[in-house]
Amino acid sequence: MSSNANDGVAPDGSPVAVFAALPARDVPEMLHTQMLEGDSVLELACGAGRYTRGLLDLGHPVVAVDESAAMLAHVDERAERVQADVFALDLRRRFDTVVAASYLVNTWPPLLLASCARHAELDGAVIVQRYAPDWARNAEPGEAEVGPVTIRFERVECIDDRLVGDVTYLLGDHTWHQHVDAHVLDDDELARYANYAGLAFDAVIDEFGEWVRLLPR
């Protein structure tokens, strides 16, 4: 029987059970290729820790930050877990690599990139995940199977460089709905926001155009 699960939802609308079930696929290994052995990692908006475990297994000490206690409860206990607003965060510590996944850079780019810059070593790196610009500008309704989760875009369109849509997640007998309203950031636009934060656009590091490396200036 299908049902709506309204509990267990993070403040941004992300369903905890879904993010705990999503597989990491090869993302931790891809991130690892951008680091030196044993580099320290600050993972902003770690969610339920689907990337955290892989980074730990690859030898990186990780500080995992999320505003949702329910999300953090799923994060590998080998990580240092911090419940906090990632946009206002100031740990007064710097890390070899700062990772910000989950497309938060498309929602509040000035605040997120400022937080990243505050925590990156001067010779370190910041890696952010954005909506791939080519996909976002031509997005159409559809669905995909990601591990045990079905992700369905019920309505999605690009309006004046904003990606707007409604997403339904299906896991077992439960469904969750989430609204998306985000900036579409191409390389030039992301470079502009990065520059304001004291970061420089360096490279796209994946074949889909989602993951971007920024360097402190």
Side-chain angles (χ1 to χ4, degrees):
M1 180 178 66
S2 177
S3 64
N4 286 319
N6 294 319
D7 56 346
V9 175
D12 70 347
S14 299
V16 175
V18 167
F19 280 78
L22 286 171
R25 297 192 282 190
D26 61 352
V27 171
E29 289 75 17
M30 183 269 294
L31 295 173
H32 177 67
T33 67
Q34 306 301 309
M35 308 176 193
L36 298 175
E37 294 293 331
D39 271 1
S40 60
V41 176
L42 174 64
E43 188 182 1
L44 297 177
C46 63
R50 58 180 165 145
Y51 302 145
T52 314
R53 180 175 294 106
L55 290 169
L56 290 163
D57 289 343
L58 290 164
H60 298 286
V62 179
V63 175
V65 182
D66 203 277
E67 65 176 336
S68 168
M71 288 285 195
L72 284 171
H74 291 274
V75 174
D76 193 305
E77 293 183 358
R78 291 175 294 168
E80 180 184 339
R81 294 176 290 181
V82 177
Q83 184 182 358
D85 177 350
V86 300
F87 301 117
L89 185 72
D90 189 353
L91 295 176
R92 301 187 182 278
R93 296 160 58 187
R94 292 185 179 269
F95 298 80
D96 297 310
T97 304
V98 178
V99 175
S102 300
Y103 313 112
L104 284 187
V105 73
N106 295 93
T107 307
W108 296 102
L111 293 177
L112 181 71
L113 293 174
S115 184
C116 290
R118 275 196 298 275
H119 293 95
E121 292 282 9
L122 294 181
D123 60 351
V126 171
I127 301 175
V128 298
Q129 183 185 24
R130 64 178 175 182
Y131 288 108
D134 290 343
W135 173 84
R137 289 203 173 94
N138 299 283
E140 297 180 349
E143 69 176 48
E145 303 291 332
V146 185
V149 179
T150 300
I151 302 175
R152 180 181 298 156
F153 280 90
E154 309 282 0
R155 178 184 68 84
V156 62
E157 58 185 328
C158 186
I159 305 171
D160 296 329
D161 283 332
R162 294 195 71 85
L163 179 67
V164 180
D166 294 303
V167 182
T168 295
Y169 303 95
L170 298 93
L171 175 64
D173 293 331
H174 296 287
T175 62
W176 294 261
H177 305 285
Q178 187 173 20
H179 182 67
V180 174
D181 185 349
H183 296 268
V184 178
L185 299 174
D186 61 18
D187 292 358
D188 289 341
E189 189 76 353
L190 182 54
R192 183 170 67 86
Y193 280 113
N195 185 61
Y196 294 152
L199 300 168
F201 186 102
D202 185 49
V204 177
I205 63 172
D206 73 313
E207 61 181 309
F208 303 109
E210 282 196 346
W211 293 90
V212 178
R213 182 175 64 239
L214 310 171
L215 299 178
R217 289 192 287 105

